[in-house]
Amino acid sequence: MAVDRRKFLRLTGLAALGVAAKPIGILAQEDIPAEISGKLPQENPLTAKRWAMVVDLEKCRDHENIKDCAAACHRVHNVPEFDNPKDEIKWMWEEDFRHAFHEQEIEHLPEKFEYTKVPLLCNHCDNPPCVRVCPTGSTWKRESDGIVMMDWHRCIGCRYCIAACPYGSRSFNWRDPRPFIKETTPEFPTRMRGVVEKCTFCEERLAQGQIPACVEAAKNDAIAFGDLEDPNSKVRELLRERYSIRRKPGLGTHPEVYYLL
Amino acid sequence: MYDAGKVIVGLVIFLALLTFPTWYNVATGKATYVPELEKAVKGDQCVADTEYMRAEHMDLLNEWRDKVVRDGERIHTAPDGTKYNMSLTMTCLDCHSNKANFCDKCHDYLSVDPYCYDCHIIPEVTK
Amino acid sequence: MIEKALSGDKRYWSWVGFLAFAIGVGTLAWFRQYELGLTITGLSRDVTWGFYIAQFTFMVGVAASAVMLVLPYYLHDNKSFGKITILGEFVAVGSCIVCMLFIFVDMGMPFRTPNVFIYASPNSVMFWDTVVLFGYLVLNVIIGWTVLGAERKQLPPPKWVKPLIILSIPWAISIHTVTAFLYSGLAARPFWMTAVLAPRFLASAFSAGPALIIILCLILRKVASFDVSKEALQKLAVIMTYAMCINVFLVLMEVFTAVYSSMPEHMAHFEYLFLGLDGKNALAPFMWVSSILAVVTLILLLNPKTRRNESILAFACVALFVSLWIDKGMAMIVTGYIPNVMGVVHEYMPTLPELLITVGVYSIGALIVTILYKVALTVKKNVA
């Protein structure tokens, strides 16, 4: 449809414009070298074969810590904050241990976990059901590093991915988010009413050589981030030393966010 | 088709209505009027030659979008070797920060309304 | 032929006017939804599919059920169905359009729906569902219109439609199977993840659909002196009865599996449906009504004496339709989300704008079916 309209416009208005625009063509102005426009991204982005996250639940008893991580994420990605929980959008949030690991049907929980808030986010599954169901390829697993990506330009807002996600990691924009964004970060686009969104492991920051915002904000190294395929990485070291669990591993999704007990 | 006549008359009327704006523009001479565009505030050359930009910038933007979002490539190297960050707001609107008198002026004239800014944030200086 | 829909009595026009009014109201409500977003519905972060998708699912079934008229006539040469197969095909046309509209109004970005074809993703069941639904619509439009056109000229239908008609039979099965696969392939939603979902969808469709056709025939007999034979109605009623038996049987299978195995994530949904969970039970009263109606209709329909009485049959059809509509058009979809993936119960209730849009969409379907029926009946009358 868009193409037809474009062709049509080109044939009519633009054709005339193209001929006539020559004389008023924009002239060169000052002699500013072109490189300065649009700060170039770092030439040395962070890369990995398989990004993964390891959350140390021991360090999540400090609720402020987790809250700060989520706030940092929501700030850099312009995630709105709604008064009505029905409209809620969350990329990272905290949940009681019992709810986060609901499939464990926990009877007796050590007291320390009763007070633990578990930070939840997209698990960037190795076998992501949301990707399988998406009818437009708006969400896909990046082959190079395993990140489950989002293309907000394609999403039709059918919410099939939300039905398929066993972790509740995806949110839908029930209404225009802009009025509910406290302070906007101009570098990252907002979303608009009608599309689905979720955490992207700060794919845009990795490209600039920065670690994810939540990892950066976490105190006491509560969250580690690294390459799961690299045996010497921090995440592998932690997983070697401590016992870890993942959410709903029985579903075969292979979540790549690990929680250390 | 026993009422083919009616159908054809209907089609003709429909086509006439559809193409009305064109006829109207031709008749009133409006199509030859061109909005006065302000110069870019930076640089002496666009990311591609002006002719190409004028006609194809939407395709270029689509290409940039797909490269960044889908292929993870962020740097565009122009034929002259200049490197650009493939970003709508941080690159295009950096040079064309006079958006209102540049992009919008032309778009308004052609009644194109790119919906990009429902999400992409127009930089402060540009507003 | 379509001009035959332009002449009718006062009753016809007041019905059309009423539908047009309902469509107008629904359209206005939709404009509001388009402007403000789906926030004006009862949907939430936890229950993300609701009334629209449920109606879509239900109507795919009604569309598929046309096959219950086509199959006896064309495969078993059952002459008594000759007169009414066209009614089934036209109901299928209306239902397919209604289904597409329900998907359309449910989309966050409705004008991006062409993306489903531009970026066709064969790994997505939704892609296939769109394809088969479109195909089914096209098939039924072609078949219905050609057969009726031939009848008008008092000729046998052209030879090339016969293969299309035969094709439409497995195609009808496929649309509802694929619709069931939308849900039953999701490990995240244990309530839907059951192999019996597709057969159950088909069984409920093949009883709700014929029930609707019987009701329509009885109405047409009154308002348009359409002389549908008693025999055809009875045959349809038998089909509907057996399909309903199978449906109830399959539901009981599901309940048994969930309850006897006692797996919490399977049982929780049934508990919510029939008893309520965490003190929340908005759907329970509806489910009990649905169950009671199902039992009552089965008693009335299985007994030949009551089934042959056309007034009782009419009542049974309405009751059966309501029972299945509650089950599929209200409960089936949202219960997949209640409790949510973290075991928390957040309920869902449609809002007024949502209901107005729903009524609007149904009215569009009703208007299409009305017009097509008007044409079909006028043609048949002129020929007779």
Side-chain angles (χ1 to χ4, degrees), chain C residues 24-37 40 111 357:
Chain C
V25 173
T27 311
L28 287 182
W30 181 78
F31 278 132
R32 210 173 149 66
Q33 175 184 298
Y34 183 68
E35 199 182 307
L36 297 179
I40 68 164
F111 294 110
I357 293 174

Side-chain angles (χ1 to χ4, degrees), chain B residues 34-48:
Chain B
V34 170
E36 194 76 30
L37 297 177
E38 220 176 86
K39 297 167 186 166
V41 298
K42 270 188 202 168
D44 49 282
Q45 199 187 323
C46 199
V47 296

Side-chain angles (χ1 to χ4, degrees), chain C residues 50-59 183 328-331 333-334:
Chain C
F51 218 58
Y52 299 146
I53 294 294
Q55 304 317 305
F56 156 78
T57 310
F58 183 76
M59 290 310 283
Y183 311 109
K328 218 163 152 187
M330 278 182 75
I333 302 307
V334 296

Side-chain angles (χ1 to χ4, degrees), chain A residues 67-79 90-92 121 199-200 202 204 212-214 217:
Chain A
K67 280 217 178 81
D68 289 347
C69 298
C73 165
H74 287 193
R75 194 168 49 246
V76 303
H77 295 116
N78 292 318
V79 177
K90 305 189 273 204
W91 284 31
M92 184 184 226
L121 67 160
C199 150
T200 60
C202 280
E204 82 289 354
C214 60

